[in-house]
Amino acid sequence: QVQLVQSGAEVRKPGASVKVSCKASGYTFTNFDINWVRQAAGQGLEWMGWMSPKSGNTGYAQKFLGRVTMTRNTSTSTAYMELSSLKSDDTAVYYCTRPAGSYPWFDSWGQGTLVTVSS
Amino acid sequence: DIVMTQSPDSLAVSLGERATIYCKSSQSILYSSNNKNYLAWYQQKSGQPPKLLIYWASTRESGVPDRFSGSGSGTDFILTISSLQAEDVAIYSCQQYYSSPLTFGGGTKVEIK
């Protein structure tokens, strides 16, 4: 079965960077885009962007341009999301997620990674 | 960006009763060439990631109980839980995939009355 397993919780100071990993299994990693979605406490879901594991092509939400970088390692079937210049309002649970097919609705999700930004 | 607005923010429904959740998009998410509405619904239980319930506004994901149904077109959509069960306590969110950036509604919290 499809599994997305994310790295553990992180604590960073304002201005620092964080890199979250998402290891995929149960399917051919390069056949499906990986998207990243975050959720601050008590808030709605916020889409950050996508990455094609096959080509490495990416597309980021305007809000995160210049601060987010999505990469992958195809040999380990792992996707990464790095967010820089962290601010307190970046404190959130970050999810990797995979679309069901060609269209971006998401039927598989990682367990989430809590990133806390605090001085 | 397409703004997705859900209502109500929360609702309490008795077991076995109907729950109705609304989602409105700031522009039409009906694609005329295929007559499909680019809308999905998710259920999120406390401490868990979202779970896909419905896509194309009304197509139930495999394994989702048939008490969950989606309807609507254009800009106005509804998620209905026909007979609320205890395990349906969760936050429900809509998502448009008509255009980038993908956007979600703010969520509706469903509780037992």
Side-chain angles (χ1 to χ4, degrees):
Chain A
Q1 76 283 18
V2 174
Q3 274 200 303
L4 300 173
V5 179
Q6 299 183 223
S7 48
E10 304 271 14
V11 179
R12 294 287 187 272
K13 294 190 184 302
S17 298
V18 68
K19 191 170 187 177
V20 179
S21 68
C22 171
K23 184 172 177 59
S25 62
Y27 72 99
T28 302
F29 180 60
T30 51
N31 283 358
F32 296 86
D33 293 348
I34 291 287
N35 287 245
W36 291 87
V37 173
R38 75 178 187 178
Q39 186 173 38
Q43 302 299 309
L45 298 159
E46 182 175 33
W47 180 77
M48 300 179 69
W50 64 270
M51 180 202 62
S52 164
K54 178 178 288 186
S55 64
N57 289 346
T58 56
Y60 303 140
Q62 180 79 21
K63 174 176 181 176
F64 299 102
L65 280 176
R67 282 211 303 144
V68 70
T69 305
M70 296 177 188
T71 57
R72 88 290 191 210
N73 182 331
T74 55
S75 65
T76 61
S77 299
T78 303
Y80 300 91
M81 185 284 298
E82 183 170 22
L83 190 62
S84 63
S85 302
L86 289 168
K87 301 167 281 190
S88 58
D89 60 5
D90 290 318
T91 295
V93 175
Y94 289 76
Y95 295 101
C96 61
T97 183
R98 195 208 77 167
S102 302
Y103 291 93
W105 65 76
F106 305 113
D107 68 343
S108 299
W109 295 72
Q111 82 276 20
T113 297
L114 175 62
V115 174
T116 302
V117 183
S118 174
S119 55
Chain B
D1 298 3
I2 297 177
V3 177
M4 307 300 290
T5 303
Q6 286 185 236
S7 61
D9 291 337
S10 64
L11 75 162
V13 176
S14 300
L15 289 172
E17 296 300 304
R18 178 183 301 258
T20 304
I21 299 166
Y22 300 90
C23 175
K24 187 175 184 68
S25 56
S26 61
Q27 65 186 74
S28 176
I29 54 175
L30 171 63
Y31 196 45
S32 55
S33 66
N34 59 9
N35 200 37
K36 287 184 180 289
N37 289 282
Y38 283 49
L39 185 98
W41 286 98
Y42 298 87
Q43 173 194 66
Q44 189 174 19
K45 296 182 179 179
S46 181
Q48 296 184 20
K51 173 189 173 184
L52 177 68
L53 294 177
I54 285 169
Y55 53 94
W56 294 133
S58 60
T59 301
R60 203 177 300 116
E61 170 73 338
S62 175
V64 173
D66 61 7
R67 63 180 180 273
F68 291 93
S69 64
S71 62
S73 185
T75 61
D76 294 282
F77 302 90
I78 299 172
L79 175 69
T80 302
I81 310 172
S82 60
S83 176
L84 192 75
Q85 304 300 302
E87 61 265 32
D88 300 335
V89 168
I91 295 173
Y92 294 84
S93 299
C94 58
Q95 177 224 333
Q96 66 81 19
Y97 47 95
Y98 182 89
S99 67
S100 184
L102 308 179
T103 48
F104 294 83
T108 295
K109 186 175 185 178
V110 174
E111 300 172 307
I112 305 295
K113 185 187 291 183

